[in-house]
Amino acid sequence: MSTEDEQAKDDQASRPKGIKIDLSHTLDSAEEVDLSLEEIKERLAQAQSFYNRVSTLSEIALQIDAARSQEDVMQVLRSEAKWLIDHDVCFISLLNKSRTHYLINTLSPIADATELNHKHFLVNQGMSGWVIQNQSPIFLDVTAGPVFTESIEGTLADLGMKSLLIVPLRTGDETIGCFTMSSARPGAYQEREMWIAQLLAQQVAVALKNVALFDSAKKRITQIELVNEIAEKLTSTLELEELLKAAAETIRKNFNYFDVTIFLVDRGQDVVTLVAHSGKYVDFLPPGYCQKLSEGIVGWVASHGQKVLANDVSEDPRYMAFEYHSTKSELAIPIQIEDEIVGVLNIEDTKLHAFDETDTIVLETLCDQLGSATKNAKLYDQAKKANATLTELDKMKSDFLGIVSHDFRSPLASIILAAKALLKRGDAVDKGRMNEYLTVIVDQANKLSHLAEDTLSITKMESGQLTYFFKVVNVERLIKDAASLVHFSRRHTLEYHVDNSVSYIKGDQTKLRQVVQNLLSNAVKYSPKGGLISVKAENYSHDQLLISVRDGGIGIPSEQQERLFQKFSRIDTEEARDIKGSGLGLWISKEIVKAHGGRIWVESEPGKGSVFSFTLRKAQQEPSAS
Ligand code: ADP
């Protein structure tokens, strides 16, 4: 038997009326007292209640230990904490990663009914902030704290709360938030409650830390799996738009983001264009929406090539607010092909601090893959376009060969016929008939020579061997000369007008005549019903004049107008199909006008007619009399 035991035995023996007990586990300090029976009962009741609390605590601890998510922990507190410490209001405040704000999660029906749930507060606001910053527990009157914040303590006071108990949530040296309870009873919390709350808070903090670690490990694994899945999807298509749309959709769905957009950079226009969108803002921002490179977080990322993680956009001056937006967090990452920034992946959320480093790392990896997928798609697109051009060119060339061989053959046939007739009949042919035959021969030979010239021009123009002889040219004479070479039918009327201010130009007379002649021949050819053909030369700008040829012919559908000036290009309409041509005249005209520093274009409406116009530089001076 120990000396202490012996001592206790002695003491008990010397006190027949009172019982000597050690209440050190129920009292703040061990004490030895003489107690009446009533006092003993009360002390025993206290001991019983203390025991009950400890066993409740160990039960709660077991449940918390079994929790697998933050929600599980919250649920245990919601249903069990009231058995441990009496309260009317209960909530937990959790610090964000950057430790600037804390987020409140309410855990009792009265607290749920306030505005406090899921609200962020700055860490220097409210008594919760004070406890987090000072890392020490506190119990006090609701209105008596060193920091009174209207939206927290004010709310509690309005609810009729009188006492407040807040303990920090600590794991090791780190405080991750605090646990708050409030009661309508004045003085409801004392040292004892604080002590028990601290024990609970310790369990909660460890559990929250563990589930956070577990969650982030789980999130990382799921994200890596998803990245692989998305990467596979990206390689399954080579159509750029389809690919980016699929990427936006998959990223949003798999990562459960609020809104995902993908922009492509257009440096020529100095803008970023929205090409893919998936999420809650889709109706407000349809594909095709453009934003300047100098605007918004997306514009900044596109021009600087660095990511932006704005977990509170109101504090980022680059953020561009939209009326319909309730965005609070934005994460934008550049998409690059080698060193060139080709696009931006942009994620938005209505929660503050919605994104963390894991999101950034994972999305950066995805953007790398998007970059290579975009590159492949672009290469594919170029190859496809080149292929289409080659196919079209090939078709045009074979069309051209068909037309040219026909065009060569038919005048040749006429010439041969006329010549044979002359040979056969010899002197028997009268003069009038002879003239007719000879005219056929000359006209058809001219046609052949024109065709041969056009064909030759292509080769020369393509190899840059065409030589231009520039001199001052009289515009009116140019138009008249060109018109004299065109075969007008009786159904057509020609009218021309030359402004006094544009009498002279500097250029290659023969080639410019060929342009006007081409346009006039087309005006005749493509207005088979006849009508007025008018040529105008007028002022266009201080140093340029405009020559235009108007007809009231078959016209050209707008979607085919752009390709008219390409080599071998012909219009594919019912009316145009029957009219013979090589598809070269306008291409040659464009090349000649271009060599003169001008521009050629068409305005036309099917069934109403066309106006072909081109600009030329004015001559600075009129030529001398010679
Ligand atoms: P083509 O020898 O076929 O006339 P062009 O290069 O001169 O070749 O013209 C290209 C095509 O543009 C023509 O095939 C025709 O379809 C269309 N075109 C040119 N001028 C006119 C016009 N004045 N009205 C309607 N279509 C025209």
Side-chain angles (χ1 to χ4, degrees):
M1 194 178 277
S2 72
T3 348
E4 271 172 25
D5 289 341
E6 275 167 14
Q7 177 72 36
K9 221 176 159 197
D10 288 347
D11 285 348
Q12 271 180 13
S14 60
R15 282 193 185 87
K17 283 194 285 160
I19 302 169
K20 184 189 166 214
I21 49 169
D22 178 2
L23 289 174
S24 58
H25 58 294
T26 58
L27 299 175
D28 293 330
S29 60
E31 51 184 325
E32 286 184 7
V33 279
D34 281 333
L35 297 167
S36 67
L37 202 58
E38 283 312 305
E39 284 169 329
I40 291 169
K41 275 186 185 164
E42 196 191 318
R43 291 283 170 113
L44 279 175
Q46 278 179 7
Q48 183 64 47
S49 129
F50 179 77
Y51 172 77
N52 287 346
R53 280 194 184 186
V54 172
S55 60
T56 310
L57 180 64
S58 68
E59 264 174 41
I60 297 178
L62 281 177
Q63 288 190 45
I64 288 177
D65 207 36
R68 283 286 159 267
S69 68
Q70 185 173 312
E71 286 71 44
D72 287 353
V73 177
M74 300 293 174
Q75 198 44 50
V76 174
L77 290 175
R78 178 177 279 279
S79 56
E80 305 298 332
K82 57 180 175 284
W83 307 119
L84 196 61
I85 301 165
D86 183 46
H87 60 251
D88 296 300
V89 166
C90 177
F91 57 83
I92 232 169
S93 307
L94 293 176
L95 265 181
N96 65 350
K97 283 243 161 57
S98 42
R99 312 185 69 81
T100 51
H101 293 75
Y102 60 88
L103 173 73
I104 290 186
N105 288 281
T106 58
L107 296 170
S108 66
I110 298 181
D112 294 345
T114 64
E115 301 257 286
L116 291 173
N117 199 18
H118 295 142
K119 262 228 158 121
H120 280 87
F121 291 94
L122 280 170
V123 78
N124 57 10
Q125 287 181 308
M127 281 309 296
S128 300
W130 186 90
V131 167
I132 291 171
Q133 282 187 316
N134 290 282
Q135 304 192 9
S136 72
I138 195 165
F139 62 89
L140 73 172
D141 189 275
V142 166
T143 52
V147 191
F148 182 90
T149 296
E150 195 50 57
S151 44
I152 309 176
E153 286 74 27
T155 304
L156 296 179
D158 289 346
L159 287 170
M161 297 300 120
K162 295 282 186 293
S163 318
L164 192 59
L165 168 62
I166 312 176
V167 289
L169 295 170
R170 296 184 61 173
T171 58
D173 285 344
E174 196 191 356
T175 302
I176 61 165
C178 65
F179 184 46
T180 304
M181 275 159 292
S182 191
S183 166
R185 264 190 311 122
Y189 305 121
Q190 303 299 325
E191 290 270 337
R192 187 180 313 226
E193 280 72 28
M194 187 175 81
W195 187 64
I196 297 238
Q198 267 184 291
L199 284 178
L200 175 65
Q202 215 167 18
Q203 302 283 341
V204 172
V206 172
L208 285 177
K209 184 102 192 210
N210 285 345
V211 292
L213 285 175
F214 181 67
D215 269 358
S216 84
K218 211 166 67 181
K219 190 172 166 189
R220 227 164 242 243
I221 291 169
T222 335
Q223 282 175 329
I224 289 166
E225 280 169 6
L226 289 176
V227 167
N228 286 338
E229 216 174 279
I230 294 171
E232 248 171 55
K233 269 205 180 139
L234 291 185
T235 48
S236 69
T237 173
L238 278 169
E239 298 288 346
L240 185 56
E241 267 190 32
E242 205 180 292
L243 180 147
L244 296 177
K245 276 185 183 144
E249 189 76 6
T250 324
I251 291 172
R252 187 188 64 79
K253 277 198 186 143
N254 287 336
F255 296 112
N256 215 3
Y257 287 135
F258 183 79
D259 195 78
V260 176
T261 42
I262 299 179
F263 290 81
L264 283 183
V265 181
D266 182 344
R267 299 232 173 259
Q269 303 288 322
D270 245 14
V271 292
V272 280
T273 308
L274 180 67
V275 280
H277 193 169
S278 172
K280 298 282 193 291
Y281 296 146
V282 167
D283 291 343
F284 303 104
L285 219 59
Y289 157 82
C290 281
Q291 187 170 312
K292 288 210 182 87
L293 279 180
S294 55
E295 285 175 343
I297 288 181
V298 170
W300 191 92
V301 172
S303 35
H304 290 76
Q306 290 162 25
K307 66 156 194 267
V308 168
L309 170 59
N311 262 326
D312 181 357
V313 288
S314 68
E315 282 174 7
D316 196 314
R318 293 166 295 197
Y319 175 68
M320 187 167 74
F322 286 85
E323 251 174 51
Y324 60 87
H325 265 197
S326 40
T327 293
K328 296 258 166 43
S329 308
E330 184 165 350
L331 171 61
I333 298 172
I335 302 170
Q336 278 172 269
I337 299 181
E338 275 112 45
D339 286 338
E340 191 197 350
I341 304 143
V342 292
V344 178
L345 170 67
N346 184 54
I347 326 270
E348 296 183 34
D349 204 294
T350 47
K351 288 197 294 291
L352 279 169
H353 303 279
F355 308 113
D356 58 22
E357 266 308 300
T358 317
D359 293 291
T360 317
I361 295 168
V362 169
L363 291 175
E364 273 179 332
T365 316
L366 264 181
C367 277
D368 283 348
Q369 288 169 351
L370 267 180
S372 12
T374 308
K375 183 181 171 182
N376 290 343
K378 279 193 164 174
L379 286 175
Y380 171 71
D381 199 42
Q382 276 167 10
K384 214 170 69 176
K385 275 193 186 133
N387 198 24
T389 316
L390 281 179
T391 316
E392 195 178 331
L393 216 62
D394 200 45
K395 183 182 173 296
M396 284 172 168
K397 266 196 176 153
S398 36
D399 286 356
F400 169 72
L401 283 179
I403 291 159
V404 165
S405 55
H406 169 273
D407 283 8
F408 269 104
R409 256 187 279 130
S410 57
L412 265 179
S414 310
I415 293 172
I416 292 168
L417 264 177
K420 270 189 180 164
L422 278 178
L423 267 179
K424 201 170 163 192
R425 299 202 192 152
D427 295 342
V429 183
D430 64 52
K431 204 157 181 222
R433 204 90 176 120
M434 166 106 78
N435 269 347
E436 261 176 43
Y437 283 135
L438 287 175
T439 311
V440 167
I441 292 173
V442 171
D443 278 358
Q444 296 303 319
N446 269 339
K447 210 169 175 181
L448 275 181
S449 128
H450 192 73
L451 200 61
E453 226 164 74
D454 271 4
T455 321
L456 206 67
S457 297
I458 306 177
T459 333
K460 281 192 173 169
M461 276 177 179
E462 277 184 335
S463 57
Q465 283 172 357
L466 205 64
T467 331
Y468 289 85
F469 300 100
F470 280 73
K471 59 176 193 166
V472 175
V473 178
N474 180 304
V475 177
E476 189 166 351
R477 194 172 310 148
L478 178 82
I479 292 172
K480 274 189 182 165
D481 285 355
S484 72
L485 296 170
V486 178
H487 191 78
F488 286 93
S489 79
R490 273 199 220 110
R491 296 186 301 278
H492 294 102
T493 324
L494 175 72
E495 136 189 313
Y496 66 88
H497 170 81
V498 179
D499 266 11
N500 284 341
S501 57
V502 296
S503 314
Y504 293 96
I505 49 165
K506 203 157 189 189
D508 184 315
Q509 183 154 9
T510 319
K511 299 203 174 57
L512 288 177
R513 191 174 53 219
Q514 194 182 348
V515 175
V516 181
Q517 185 191 344
N518 275 344
L519 297 184
L520 280 171
S521 308
N522 281 349
V524 172
K525 209 159 63 162
Y526 297 103
S527 52
K529 292 189 184 137
L532 180 69
I533 292 169
S534 62
V535 190
K536 234 186 200 176
E538 58 196 316
N539 209 14
Y540 187 64
S541 69
H542 74 282
D543 63 345
Q544 282 186 307
L545 65 88
L546 180 86
I547 297 182
S548 54
V549 177
R550 175 188 294 274
D551 66 61
I554 60 174
I556 303 150
S558 58
E559 67 279 5
Q560 299 202 39
Q561 288 173 13
E562 207 175 300
R563 43 179 286 265
L564 276 192
F565 297 92
Q566 289 170 17
K567 219 185 306 172
F568 310 128
S569 172
R570 307 209 66 229
I571 295 302
D572 192 17
T573 58
E574 219 169 304
E575 298 93 329
R577 221 166 287 143
D578 296 335
I579 305 172
K580 293 275 169 283
S582 60
L584 283 174
L586 288 180
W587 179 74
I588 292 170
S589 304
K590 182 189 78 182
E591 293 298 314
I592 295 174
V593 170
K594 222 161 72 181
H596 282 78
R599 193 167 70 83
I600 185 165
W601 67 94
V602 63
E603 289 149 280
S604 180
E605 208 178 314
K608 296 216 165 138
S610 313
V611 187
F612 281 84
S613 312
F614 64 97
T615 57
L616 289 173
R617 273 200 287 269
K618 288 179 198 166
Q620 295 306 315
Q621 290 166 342
E622 291 189 9
S624 58
S626 64

